[in-house]
Amino acid sequence: MDKQQFESWRYDVQPALSSKVDEFHFLGYERVTEDQVWACLMYRLRKQKEFIHLHAFVQAILSLKVQDYMTWVTKESYREKNDWFAKETIV
């Protein structure tokens, strides 16, 4: 699916994103941002072959579960190139 389709809807679906972030904050996940929720959704919808209507896209936002979001965050943290031991010197 073309990423621009979703990017053009970013402003239109902002209330749904904000609602989802508020929900996560209410559940104790205070550090969640709209940008992170957006990136998670883009990752989850990256393999969609057919056209997604706006109402279905909003449904995808509102149905995002904390477990799915946290799984995505964990995978992203493993993908980052953190060389934790590069700064340590061997004595």
Side-chain angles (χ1 to χ4, degrees):
M1 184 62 23
D2 187 14
K3 188 175 180 180
Q4 275 76 19
Q5 170 197 354
F6 298 133
E7 290 297 328
S8 67
W9 289 344
R10 174 83 188 248
Y11 178 76
D12 296 330
V13 299
Q14 196 281 327
L17 281 173
S18 179
S19 175
K20 184 51 66 173
V21 169
D22 288 345
E23 176 187 335
F24 285 4
H25 288 180
F26 179 74
L27 294 172
Y29 297 90
E30 296 293 328
R31 295 174 54 184
V32 177
T33 67
E34 286 183 18
D35 289 336
Q36 291 170 328
V37 171
W38 182 261
C40 178
L41 287 165
M42 293 300 100
Y43 178 79
R44 293 186 74 204
L45 297 174
R46 74 192 184 285
K47 293 184 179 180
Q48 282 290 358
K49 300 277 187 213
E50 67 267 356
F51 178 79
I52 297 176
H53 294 279
L54 181 59
H55 69 278
F57 187 60
V58 171
Q59 177 63 29
I61 294 169
L62 296 177
S63 65
L64 180 65
K65 296 178 182 153
V66 172
Q67 296 87 345
D68 296 333
Y69 172 78
M70 292 306 294
T71 299
W72 173 79
V73 168
T74 303
K75 287 179 182 178
E76 287 300 304
S77 70
Y78 288 133
R79 281 194 195 127
E80 291 178 1
K81 294 186 178 189
N82 290 329
D83 194 2
W84 297 326
F85 302 108
K87 295 180 182 177
E88 291 185 17
T89 57
I90 299 175
V91 188

